[in-house]
Amino acid sequence: MTLRAGSAIPVESVEVSAYSIPTDAPEADGTLSWDSTTLVLVSVHAGGQVGTGYTYAGTAVATVVAAKLADVVKDGDALQPPARWADMQHAVRNLGKPGVVSEAISAVDIALWDLRARLLDEPLVVALGAVHDATPIYGSGGFTSYDNDALRAQLCGWVNAGIPRVKMKVGSDPDADIGRVQAARSAIGDDVELFVDANGAYHRKQALLWAQRFADYDVRWFEEPVTSDDLDGLHQLREHGPAGMDIAAGEYGYHLPYFHQMLDAGAVDCLQADVTRALGITGVLKVAALCDARGMDLSLHCAPQISGQVGTAVWHMRHLEYFHDHVRIEGLAFDGTIDPEPGGLLRPDRTAPGHGLTVKQADLEQFRVA
């Protein structure tokens, strides 16, 4: 269709579905274990085009989208995702925004941005005003449920793919952590950056002790050494932890006040945010602005196929978590996925409109739960 300046294209419909996809092996981190991951897909239709968004959450997200958000965005201008985002913020006042509701808004917002770009026949990175050509990544997995052989194999797989930084889980069994970190370092060599993620498993002084021990193996990144609700504890670890080891948190942030409070507390050296949780593309770009104002880097959490696109529009972008589960699921769910380049970069396809992903519905159908 031909668009004229000032024209509006009303949203015609919103569809949502959910799929529970088994892991390829039992998985665990410092505070949780799981054997499946639920993908929630949202499709928004307008002007003969379809925009696709998604999040990783429970089926309750699909209920929020269908019962509340679909009617909020319907008939609104599909060319104005930030305006539809604002409409959704107002509409959920009585539902409680953090958590399930934020994940639902995130999926719809991603779909709206994809739809806008497709209506204008431009790549999403152009629509977002990219300032980088590609997004750096780190390989992520190293679950505490893995034995040392499986740990070594997975981390070396990332390294052999040309990714120069990798992350592993710690905290399920602190007595085993040093042996696991030692196994990881010996496998990947001295030239690859090694990160650890405790998912909030340690207490403050315990975390400081393990930070000092991990430093002996040149660990550069300690993610959620204590719960991300303990901003003072994160701040203390940032102040008193080993030189050269960054403290990171933020993946469980769902709206701007959370990130503002974390930054204001001096809780992290590098902030994290998840596009599929933190109110979508519109929300994460606002989080990025908080980082820009402080000259602080932002690291994007998981969902690599959409996060790799958004990362190009983040000025103080450090890297993106190329997470084992989500890499598998997005390869199963979508055509048009992009693979890492040597050097650990995801470079979006600038020849395709929108984010370039199309849903492989037939492949997903066996996993449908909603």
Side-chain angles (χ1 to χ4, degrees):
M1 63 186 302
T2 301
L3 299 179
R4 292 178 295 182
S7 62
I9 302 178
V11 171
E12 297 161 8
S13 64
V14 178
E15 299 172 356
V16 62
S17 52
Y19 309 86
S20 180
I21 301 171
T23 58
D24 57 1
E27 295 177 356
D29 57 32
T31 53
L32 191 67
S33 61
W34 62 96
D35 58 13
S36 66
T37 299
T38 300
L39 172 73
V40 179
L41 280 179
V42 171
S43 300
V44 182
H45 300 252
Q49 297 289 340
V50 181
T52 302
Y54 62 98
T55 186
Y56 294 98
T59 56
V61 167
T63 299
V64 173
V65 172
K68 189 68 176 180
L69 301 182
D71 286 343
V72 172
V73 300
K74 187 179 178 183
D75 298 326
D77 186 1
L79 296 176
Q80 299 187 62
R84 307 288 72 75
W85 183 88
D87 291 341
M88 290 188 286
Q89 304 305 303
H90 293 302
V92 301
R93 186 191 71 183
N94 292 339
L95 295 183
K97 191 181 301 179
V100 167
V101 173
S102 291
E103 291 163 337
I105 292 173
S106 296
V108 176
D109 182 75
I110 292 167
L112 285 165
W113 274 105
D114 180 44
L115 176 60
R116 179 189 187 277
R118 291 175 189 266
L119 288 167
L120 297 176
D121 195 28
E122 65 183 12
L124 180 60
V125 292
V126 172
L128 296 179
V131 293
H132 311 291
D133 292 329
T135 300
I137 62 173
Y138 63 88
S140 172
F143 303 107
T144 59
S145 49
Y146 288 177
D147 63 24
N148 282 357
D149 288 340
L151 174 66
R152 293 187 194 99
Q154 188 180 72
L155 298 187
C156 287
W158 301 128
V159 175
N160 293 336
I163 300 173
R165 55 195 80 85
V166 296
K167 188 176 80 177
M168 58 181 288
K169 301 291 191 178
V170 295
S172 289
D173 179 6
D175 291 339
D177 282 340
I178 288 300
R180 296 179 65 254
V181 170
Q182 184 180 37
R185 174 53 76 193
S186 64
I188 65 176
D190 294 335
D191 296 331
V192 175
E193 290 185 65
L194 179 60
F195 302 166
V196 298
D197 181 359
N199 290 95
Y202 300 130
H203 300 298
R204 292 183 186 183
K205 289 192 175 180
Q206 185 186 29
L208 182 58
L209 172 65
W210 288 109
Q212 293 164 345
R213 292 176 176 175
F214 294 150
D216 292 338
Y217 299 93
D218 198 24
V219 169
R220 301 293 185 87
W221 170 279
F222 197 172
E223 185 175 327
E224 285 196 311
V226 297
T227 173
S228 54
D229 294 327
D230 183 6
L231 298 183
D232 187 54
L234 288 169
H235 175 75
Q236 289 184 30
L237 284 158
R238 185 186 180 200
E239 290 293 303
H240 301 293
M245 181 184 289
D246 280 353
I247 301 300
E251 68 181 75
Y252 297 110
Y254 293 100
H255 61 165
L256 282 175
Y258 173 96
F259 296 103
H260 172 72
Q261 290 161 11
M262 181 166 278
L263 291 170
D264 208 39
V268 293
D269 295 295
C270 181
L271 186 68
Q272 295 176 284
D274 188 320
V275 176
T276 71
R277 290 175 179 166
L279 300 175
I281 294 172
T282 304
V284 162
L285 292 180
K286 294 178 186 298
V287 175
L290 294 177
C291 290
D292 292 343
R294 294 166 170 82
M296 175 174 284
D297 285 349
L298 179 65
S299 178
L300 294 182
H301 176 260
C302 295
Q305 294 302 321
I306 188 60
S307 299
Q309 306 257 348
V310 177
T312 64
V314 175
W315 182 20
H316 288 88
M317 180 70 194
R318 183 174 297 190
H319 43 46
L320 158 66
E321 182 169 359
Y322 196 67
F323 183 54
H324 173 69
D325 280 354
H326 295 181
V327 172
R328 282 185 60 246
I329 290 170
E330 290 170 10
L332 183 153
F334 303 118
D335 283 319
T337 58
I338 52 176
D339 296 322
E341 296 182 359
L345 295 172
L346 277 185
R347 189 177 305 275
D349 179 4
R350 289 175 175 260
T351 67
H355 51 44
L357 302 174
T358 55
V359 179
K360 296 193 286 189
Q361 197 63 56
D363 293 344
L364 276 177
E365 197 58 34
Q366 62 181 309
F367 305 113
R368 182 189 282 267
V369 291

